[in-house]
Amino acid sequence: MRVGLYPGTFDPITFGHTDIIRRATVLVDKLVIGAAINRDKGPLFSLEERVSMIEAECVELSKQTGCEIVVHPFENLLIDCAKDVGAQIIIRGLRAVADFEYEFQMVGMNRALNDKIETVFLMADAKRQAIASKLVKEIARLGGDVSKFVPAAVNQALIERLGV
């Protein structure tokens, strides 16, 4: 069984994320969504809320694609998380050249730690390339409409959390 790990903070999950998830399911039999516990980023949503949002968005995707999709919170090194979940590949989404520079460095470090786990980059769909959780939160905080960027349930959660 080919297992992939798609890690991120997913604070919150966006249509950019779900695009990468959908496309990653073609490459693996089981896709683990690694929800990072990154206290330094000061997430808007708790880990439990983020996991719940990811799971809710992935139920239908799993049915449609036939790929098993599970969410796995992690706080250790990405390469150790990949080993923990039995992943042979790490899936990373790219939006722009700036993403590539950072990701290129990460691949080098991860390969130095474990050269048996490959990293695969998927370009976000052109319609989704500008979507970033950080920008979605900023737009929502300022009262903007983010319904084009996030699933309906996530949009509602943002409205409730931010009181906008």
Side-chain angles (χ1 to χ4, degrees):
M1 177 186 294
R2 184 168 299 275
V3 179
L5 171 64
Y6 177 39
T9 307
F10 305 101
D11 184 42
I13 190 168
T14 68
F15 287 141
H17 294 127
T18 57
D19 176 57
I20 297 295
I21 292 168
R22 176 181 300 284
R23 292 172 48 233
T25 63
V26 175
L27 305 174
V28 297
D29 304 300
K30 178 180 180 179
L31 182 62
V32 178
I33 311 297
I37 304 168
N38 192 337
R39 299 180 207 306
D40 294 337
K41 281 192 173 181
L44 177 63
F45 293 102
S46 71
L47 175 65
E48 294 76 20
E49 290 169 320
R50 290 183 283 131
V51 167
S52 178
M53 285 186 235
I54 298 165
E55 288 175 341
E57 294 309 315
C58 290
V59 168
E60 192 60 33
L61 279 174
S62 185
K63 287 178 189 173
Q64 291 171 358
T65 63
C67 179
E68 180 184 0
I69 304 174
V70 298
V71 183
H72 176 80
F74 76 101
E75 192 170 26
N76 54 340
L77 288 173
L78 174 58
I79 204 72
D80 290 339
C81 177
K83 186 177 173 189
D84 291 346
V85 300
Q88 296 90 11
I89 63 173
I90 295 170
I91 309 285
R92 300 295 292 169
L94 293 177
R95 292 177 302 235
V97 174
D99 285 349
F100 180 78
E101 291 181 28
Y102 171 76
E103 295 296 342
F104 185 78
Q105 290 177 318
M106 286 290 292
V107 168
M109 297 301 284
N110 285 336
R111 289 204 47 83
L113 294 169
N114 186 334
D115 64 359
K116 304 221 181 325
I117 299 174
E118 293 293 338
T119 300
V120 174
F121 295 109
L122 295 176
M123 292 297 298
D125 182 271
K127 296 177 292 194
R128 311 279 190 221
Q129 285 185 0
I131 302 173
S133 293
K134 181 178 179 180
L135 296 176
V136 166
K137 289 185 289 192
E138 185 67 18
I139 293 166
R141 273 190 189 102
L142 296 172
D145 179 11
V146 296
S147 62
K148 292 183 270 195
F149 310 123
V150 297
V154 173
N155 187 47
Q156 188 58 42
L158 282 163
I159 290 168
E160 290 171 10
R161 176 60 44 91
L162 298 172
V164 292

